Amino acid sequence: MSTPIESPAAQIPVNGAQTALAAAPTNKKQPYPFWLGGTPLDLTKVRMQATGDKGMINSIKKTVRTAGVLGLFDGITGTWFRQMTYSICRFWAYDESKKLIGADAKSPAWKLALAGSMAGGIAGFVGNPGELIMVRLQSDFAKPPEKRLNYKNCLDGLYRMVKEEGWSSLARGVGPNVFRAILMNASQLASYDFFKAELLKTGHFEDNIYVHTTASFAAGTVATTVCSPADVLKSRIMAASGAEGRSTLGMIRLSMKNEGPMFMFKGWLPAWTRLQPTTMLIFITLEQLKNAVDWYRGDI
């Protein structure tokens, strides 16, 4: 009697399923749902960047002193709106960009960075109104009372911006925002794939949560440093309104004159403190969601 031959899928461990399935020409993996990609530290970062508050702890103390503990959550609706537009869009665009240029997680770093840049450009443009409203809501209470916009929430802010400043106001700061989004996605998404692939190449690691945690930690540090200059400019331009608005070059000249070149890294610590756990949670959760989708489809 002949011995039954096991299927290729049964002969490989779970962690190797994705590699084997990808190599099989008759069993091409389906794309993941786009919506898989969809704090007080963010508030502190924006206020330090937009108003010149010195030091993360001092900025937090100032907010609590002037607005109470609940003041740390000013602009939370803007954060939600931004997440529902920019964040969801960028993961979908990254996957589509990789397919367009023929890249995957094992591709060279420059190819991953190119796909990340393409995704950042798309997501930065789509998410600009959400980013704009978030920055204005978070920086408003730090301004003198006579200069505050006093938006009730993100929807009220959108309505008033269009009514008082015209539809073109929704594009305020789109240049530095798109540039920052390109830097963010080229550094964060691409560096995560790069670090993960390099760890797996050593042969000492398996594709599991430990690799995901290490790669996402490294990606968060790289992304914070690369994006800091554009992030500062974006926050300062978006926090201004009406006649206060300045061009990107004008804002650079003014900031360089008043603060020197290190203004580009204003708020780096709260930005890193916010982005680091966020980056880790995003990628660890995304990997688990992908595993769940694979399980549901019967791929593992």
Side-chain angles (χ1 to χ4, degrees):
M1 180 180 295
S2 61
T3 303
I5 299 175
E6 292 185 69
S7 67
Q11 298 174 5
I12 58 175
V14 170
N15 289 331
Q18 294 182 353
T19 302
L21 288 172
T26 59
N27 196 15
K28 185 177 181 181
K29 178 172 285 190
Q30 302 176 52
Y32 292 104
F34 75 93
W35 42 262
L36 289 186
T39 70
L41 289 170
D42 199 40
L43 174 81
T44 303
K45 178 205 70 168
V46 169
R47 288 188 175 173
M48 287 181 69
Q49 292 175 343
T51 65
D53 285 354
K54 297 185 180 298
M56 180 176 72
I57 301 301
N58 287 336
S59 182
I60 292 174
K61 286 181 178 178
K62 178 181 176 182
T63 299
V64 173
R65 185 174 65 251
T66 56
V69 175
L70 291 180
L72 293 172
F73 296 91
D74 281 351
I76 189 68
T77 61
T79 302
W80 292 338
F81 181 54
R82 187 245 191 194
Q83 290 297 106
M84 289 187 292
T85 52
Y86 166 77
S87 293
I88 288 179
C89 180
R90 75 188 183 115
F91 284 101
W92 165 81
Y94 183 54
D95 285 339
E96 292 300 312
S97 297
K98 284 196 292 185
K99 287 191 289 186
L100 184 64
I101 64 175
D104 57 33
K106 296 182 179 180
S107 295
W110 70 265
K111 214 167 189 179
L112 295 173
L114 176 59
S117 298
M118 294 165 64
I122 296 170
F125 181 79
V126 171
N128 196 71
E131 189 86 28
L132 181 55
I133 290 298
M134 182 192 74
V135 169
R136 287 194 174 190
L137 284 169
Q138 291 181 344
S139 64
D140 204 37
F141 202 81
K143 297 178 180 178
E146 66 277 7
K147 292 186 177 182
R148 292 176 190 167
L149 299 168
N150 296 315
Y151 294 156
K152 297 176 183 177
N153 50 54
C154 63
L155 296 180
D156 178 61
L158 284 172
Y159 172 76
R160 284 185 50 194
M161 275 186 60
V162 172
K163 181 181 178 182
E164 297 169 9
E165 303 175 51
W167 285 97
S168 62
S169 64
L170 296 178
R172 181 185 292 276
V174 68
N177 188 46
V178 167
F179 183 57
R180 183 255 186 195
I182 289 173
L183 293 177
M184 172 62 73
N185 287 275
S187 58
Q188 188 189 53
L189 299 183
S191 64
Y192 173 78
D193 278 346
F194 173 78
F195 286 124
K196 177 183 171 183
E198 289 300 307
L199 288 169
L200 295 176
K201 278 181 187 177
T202 65
H204 300 299
F205 303 93
E206 294 183 357
D207 189 357
N208 55 28
I209 193 170
Y210 301 109
V211 166
H212 305 158
T213 301
T214 304
S216 59
F217 182 89
T221 302
V222 171
T224 303
T225 305
V226 170
C227 295
S228 185
D231 205 17
V232 172
L233 288 171
K234 172 203 61 123
S235 292
R236 294 188 177 192
I237 291 173
M238 287 183 168
S241 61
E244 291 182 317
R246 296 177 181 274
S247 67
T248 302
L249 290 178
M251 186 63 74
I252 291 174
R253 284 195 293 266
L254 180 65
S255 299
M256 287 285 287
K257 178 181 177 181
N258 294 336
E259 304 169 65
M262 289 306 294
F263 88 90
M264 293 184 291
F265 296 96
K266 177 82 71 173
W268 186 93
L269 181 58
W272 180 84
T273 308
R274 178 194 70 88
L275 187 62
Q276 194 61 273
T278 300
T279 301
M280 295 171 70
L281 285 171
I282 283 173
F283 286 113
I284 292 171
T285 303
L286 188 62
E287 294 281 7
Q288 298 310 306
L289 288 173
K290 286 182 176 181
N291 287 338
V293 171
D294 287 340
W295 174 83
Y296 178 77
R297 291 173 176 171
D299 292 340
I300 60 174

